Amino acid sequence: MTLRELRDEVGNDAARFFYVLRKCEQHMDFDLDLAKSQSNDNPVFYVQYAHARVHSVFRQLKEKGLTRDIARGNAGLGRLTEAHEQALMATLTRYPR
C-alpha cells in the first residue's frame, strides 16, 4: 500500500499521527481498523476531540467577554504536585503559543 492510498483510506491526520508516533528506524505495523475508528481507542480521534474542546473553551471565553490571564495561570502552577502533571506542563512548554 502506498502512502497516498493509506492517506485516502484513513485520512491525513491519522496517517501523520501514526507515522510520527514511531521512530524512523522502528518497524511499523499500521492498524487500519484502529486508525479509522472514531472512538477513544483511536489516539488520533482522542487528540482531535481534545483540540475541539480546547477551542470551545476559548470560544466561550470570548463570548463571555473574558480573557485568559497568563500570569495568573502561571502563578497557579505551584498547585501541580504530581510528577505526571509537572511532566505534562513541561511538555506543553515546548509548543508554540
Side-chain angles (χ1 to χ4, degrees):
M1 176 176 264
T2 67
L3 181 56
R4 178 165 290 157
E5 291 169 333
L6 180 66
R7 286 181 18 224
D8 290 343
E9 182 78 19
V10 301
N12 288 331
D13 290 343
R16 286 182 188 128
F17 184 86
F18 282 100
Y19 265 91
V20 300
L21 191 62
R22 305 242 188 252
K23 294 181 180 179
C24 62
E25 61 271 352
Q26 274 185 305
H27 177 75
M28 178 188 287
D29 290 322
F30 199 100
D31 188 340
L32 285 173
D33 292 330
L34 177 61
K36 292 192 304 186
S37 73
Q38 292 192 1
S39 70
N40 287 343
D41 294 335
N42 182 347
V44 176
F45 185 73
Y46 191 72
V47 169
Q48 288 173 330
Y49 177 75
H51 180 264
R53 296 292 299 148
V54 169
H55 259 33
S56 173
V57 168
F58 286 127
R59 186 189 75 247
Q60 290 177 36
L61 272 175
K62 187 175 181 179
E63 288 171 358
K64 293 177 181 180
L66 302 172
T67 58
R68 62 186 176 131
D69 186 338
I70 295 172
R72 186 173 173 204
N74 287 339
L77 290 176
R79 295 182 186 159
L80 304 178
T81 57
E82 301 293 326
H84 68 275
E85 294 170 330
Q86 294 169 353
L88 175 61
M89 294 312 296
T91 300
L92 290 173
T93 63
R94 293 186 285 193
Y95 290 92
R97 297 181 81 142

